[in-house]
Structures are given as structure tokens and as C-alpha cells.
């Protein structure tokens, strides 16, 4: 975790440092506030949250009078944390939620997103976390669109100790998802993770397919979590994707990948605002251990240093 934090802070601290430098200026004139705005927009915080934050900062700086560096750091820490939402439920719900008597049905997590964002990798990493936590996991390779996806997922499964249910290439994703949950029930597995296909150019196709996967899985029992995987390096494009997916399926959490490769951590704020759904996990590299729960406090600390 320390290693991850270090990496996060290396990639993110330009935003925090930039803001602190600006706020430390002797005269906070309009030009400076515009620079504050630009800094936030460049970090992908998004227009509405940026305006809100700048307004709050202006007010609070005015009230503060003299500004010591520590005051400013604290003020910025508080305001960024408020914007990120320190109290949102960021638990990844891997239980079926049925309660008494529902033990025979595993919790189901669907992983959705555009191809290339890191869906399969995230599914594998999540399986590893769950297995390390003592849970038995079945993987459903329902991304039958990308040829190598099922092999890639199976490799992850073998690595972490989870069986992979797959079908023929180009097969019906919903039937594979159904079979994966059936297998999970037969094995009395704790969790079934379903990797799905994501291609945006045929929105109705995607809508039909994802909706169908979910409906078919729900014949066995409820889906506990639908995680949308977004690539942090794609900026505003990621927001467009988020909107499309949210239209076709109820997203319950966001995984922001490749946060190690960008200083644009502000996308966390923008995407939560866009979807009204919390960022629950962050991807900080390609390795098996590079998936971490998103912790707002640690994130803001890394931002501000
Ligand atoms: P999918 O098409 O959405 O299933 O995407 P993949 O899981 O195949 O990932 C696409 C590429 O992104 C692969 O090269 C992954 O190793 C890489 N990747 C995934 N997550 C991360 C991350 O958090 N950080 C970095 N740097 N690379 C990642």
C-alpha cells in the first residue's frame, strides 16, 4: 500500500502543488483565480465541480485573512475532501444481499466498460483480492467479442486459483454469464465475477447485450455490483463513455484504471458527479497487486503532499 501511495503521489502531486503555489501568492487577483480554475480543469476535475471549488476557496481565503502555508494546505485538504465525498459507500458488494437462506447463491459482480480500459485485468486483480481474502471465486468470460479476452481471463484465473467459465469465440455472452453463475452455485462459490464486452460504436447492440447479460444472470439471483471500468488517461472521453453505460445498465461503482499513468486524478471528482456513483477501486499499474480501494483521505493527502 505504501508503494501504491508513493506511485499515486508521484503522478498526482502536480495538481496539489500547483494549487498551493497559486493560493500562496501575495495578491489573489482575478488572473490568479483564473489560473486556479485552469489548473483544476487541466486535471479533469470538470466544469461544475471546478466552479464550486473555486467559489468555496475564494470565500474561505477571504475569511482567513493572513494565509500561512499550513492554513492553506488544511483548507485545500478539507475542500477537496468535501468535493470527493468522504462518506460515500465505497464497499465492493460481493455478497448476494439475499440474507437468510441465500447462501447457496454466490454474489455476482459484473464488470463493464469499453475494451482497452482494463476490464479483464481489473477482473483478474479483483479475483486475486477476493481469493486472498479467503473467498472462492468463479470467473465468467463473457467478453466473446475480443478474441484474446477469454484466454487472458483464464490465465488470471489459473494464477489466482479461480475457475474460468468460457464459451466458444463469438458465443452468446449472456449464456456464458448464466453458465458461470450456474457453475458458481454448483461449486458453492462465494463470488462470480463476470467480464463483459464493451464496444461503443453500436450502442443498441451494447444495450441489448449488457441488459441481457444482467437479466439472464438475475434468473439465478440478484447482481450485487455492476462496476464500470474507466481509463483515467482518456479524460473527458471517459465521461462520455460513462454516460452511455449508465444509460444501458445501473452502475453501482466505478473502477478508475491507469491512474499511475496520469496526473489527471480530478477525473475522480468529475465521474462521480456525472454518474452519482462512487469510485470504489483504482488501478495503479499492470501488476496483480496494483488494484487498491479508493480512499479519499489518502488520495487528497497524496494530492497535497
Ligand atoms: P479490456 O479490453 O478492457 O479487458 O482491457 P485489458 O484488461 O486487456 O487492459 C488493457 C491494457 O491496459 C493492458 O495492457 C493492461 O495491462 C493495461 N492496464 C490495465 N489496468 C491498468 C492500470 O491500472 N495501470 C496501467 N498502467 N495499465 C493498466
Amino acid at each position: 500500500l505504501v508503494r501504491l501511495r508513493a506511485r499515486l503521489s508521484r503522478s498526482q502531486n502536480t495538481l496539489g502543488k500547483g494549487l498551493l503555489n497559486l493560493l500562496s501568492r501575495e495578491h489573489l487577483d482575478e488572473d490568479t483565480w483564473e489560473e486556479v480554475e485552469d489548473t483544476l480543469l487541466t486535471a479533469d476535475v470538470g466544469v461544475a465541480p471546478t466552479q464550486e471549488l473555486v467559489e468555496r476557496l475564494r470565500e474561505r481565503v477571504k475569511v482567513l485573512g493572513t494565509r500561512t502555508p499550513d492554513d492553506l494546505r488544511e483548507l485545500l485538504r478539507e475542500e477537496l475532501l468535501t468535493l470527493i465525498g468522504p462518506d460515500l459507500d465505497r464497499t465492493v458488494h460481493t455478497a448476494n444481499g439475499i440474507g437468510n437462506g441465500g447462501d447457496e447463491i454466490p454474489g455476482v459482480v459484473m464488470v463493464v466498460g469499453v475494451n482497452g480500459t482494463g476490464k479483464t485485468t481489473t477482473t483478474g486483480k479483483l479475483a486475486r483480492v477476493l481469493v486472498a481474502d479467503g473467498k472462492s471465486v468463479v470467473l465468467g468470460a463473457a467478453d466473446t467479442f475480443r478474441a484474446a479476452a477469454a484466454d487472458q481471463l483464464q490465465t488470471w484465473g489459473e494464477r489466482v486459483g479461480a475457475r474460468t467459465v468460457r464459451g466458444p469465440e463469438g458465443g452468446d455472452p449472456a449464456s456464458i454469464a448464466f453458465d458461470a453463475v450456474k457453475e458458481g452455485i454448483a461449486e458453492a462459490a462465494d463470488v462470480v465475477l463476470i467480464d463483459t464486452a464493451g464496444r461503443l460504436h453500436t450502442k443498441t447492440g451494447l444495450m441489448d447485450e449488457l441488459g441481457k447479460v444482467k437479466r439472464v444472470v438475475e434468473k439465478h439471483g440478484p447482481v450485487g455490483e455492476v462496476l464500470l471500468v474507466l481509463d483515467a488517461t482518456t479524460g473527458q472521453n471517459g465521461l462520455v463513455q460513462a454516460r452511455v453505460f449508465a444509460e444501458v445498465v445501473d452502475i453501482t461503482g466505478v473502477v478508475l484504471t491507469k491512474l499511475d499513468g496520469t496526473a489527471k486524478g480530478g477525473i475522480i471528482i468529475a465521474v462521480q458527479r456525472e454518474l452519482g456513483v462512487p469510485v470504489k477501486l483504482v488501478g495503479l499499474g499492470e501488476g496483480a497487486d496494483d488494484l487498491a480501494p479508493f480512499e479519499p483521505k489518502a488520495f487528497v493527502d497524496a494530492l497535497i503532499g
Side-chain angles (χ1 to χ4, degrees):
L1 201 61
V2 172
R3 190 170 57 90
L4 292 177
R5 281 204 183 128
R7 196 157 350 136
L8 189 60
S9 107
R10 255 203 310 284
S11 70
Q12 302 296 337
N13 63 15
T14 45
L15 171 61
K17 281 222 180 73
L19 290 176
L20 277 176
N21 282 341
L22 287 168
L23 295 178
S24 305
R25 281 186 188 168
E26 203 168 328
H27 298 293
L28 294 180
D29 53 18
E30 285 309 310
D31 285 349
T32 306
W33 287 113
E34 254 175 47
E35 281 182 64
V36 171
E37 260 180 31
D38 289 346
T39 305
L40 289 165
L41 290 174
T42 306
D44 277 339
V45 172
V47 175
T50 291
Q51 281 169 348
E52 255 170 57
L53 181 61
V54 168
E55 208 166 292
R56 294 275 308 148
L57 290 175
R58 288 182 80 134
E59 242 171 65
R60 291 201 55 186
V61 164
K62 208 191 294 174
V63 173
L64 202 59
T66 48
R67 284 162 280 136
T68 70
D70 281 349
D71 288 340
L72 286 177
R73 190 168 272 126
E74 197 42 43
L75 191 153
L76 201 55
R77 196 188 306 279
E78 281 173 24
E79 291 302 330
L80 282 171
L81 205 53
T82 304
L83 209 59
I84 289 173
D87 303 323
L88 297 177
D89 175 17
R90 297 181 198 272
T91 320
V92 178
H93 295 284
T94 53
N96 62 28
I98 294 174
N100 281 348
D103 287 354
E104 67 277 11
I105 300 174
V108 177
V109 177
M110 275 175 67
V111 184
V112 308
V114 172
N115 285 331
T117 52
K119 236 178 318 99
T120 305
T121 308
T122 298
T123 310
K125 289 174 178 173
L126 186 55
R128 182 183 160 93
V129 172
L130 293 169
V131 169
D133 203 27
K135 296 198 164 68
S136 54
V137 175
V138 169
L139 299 172
D143 180 356
T144 56
F145 181 72
R146 187 162 66 84
D151 287 342
Q152 197 184 327
L153 192 66
Q154 188 164 358
T155 303
W156 273 101
E158 283 160 9
R159 223 156 117 191
V160 308
R163 184 194 303 282
T164 303
V165 174
R166 52 188 295 181
E169 205 177 302
D172 176 26
S175 102
I176 294 165
F178 184 83
D179 287 348
V181 181
K182 201 164 99 186
E183 174 69 21
I185 293 170
E187 279 187 29
D190 296 309
V191 188
V192 178
L193 300 179
I194 299 172
D195 186 21
T196 63
R199 49 200 184 280
L200 266 187
H201 51 276
T202 55
K203 190 171 148 191
T204 29
L206 176 77
M207 173 143 28
D208 290 349
E209 182 176 303
L210 279 183
K212 190 172 159 204
V213 168
K214 187 153 185 273
R215 276 196 311 279
V216 162
V217 166
E218 281 169 345
K219 288 184 181 171
H220 292 297
V223 171
E225 190 84 63
V226 180
L227 293 176
L228 173 66
V229 178
L230 290 178
D231 176 342
T233 64
T234 58
Q236 300 303 309
N237 223 334
L239 290 185
V240 175
Q241 294 171 13
R243 218 171 287 150
V244 173
F245 276 89
E247 274 174 37
V248 306
V249 64
D250 285 334
I251 309 293
T252 58
V254 173
V255 183
L256 211 56
T257 59
K258 311 187 194 181
L259 209 54
D260 51 306
T262 177
K264 302 193 164 197
I267 193 76
I268 286 175
I269 294 166
V271 76
Q272 290 188 159
R273 185 64 61 102
E274 179 73 35
L275 295 183
V277 165
V279 172
K280 294 190 168 179
L281 299 167
V282 288
L284 298 165
E286 297 187 79
D289 294 325
D290 297 333
L291 183 74
F294 176 60
E295 295 169 358
K297 283 207 176 72
F299 180 74
V300 171
D301 284 348
L303 278 184
I304 295 177

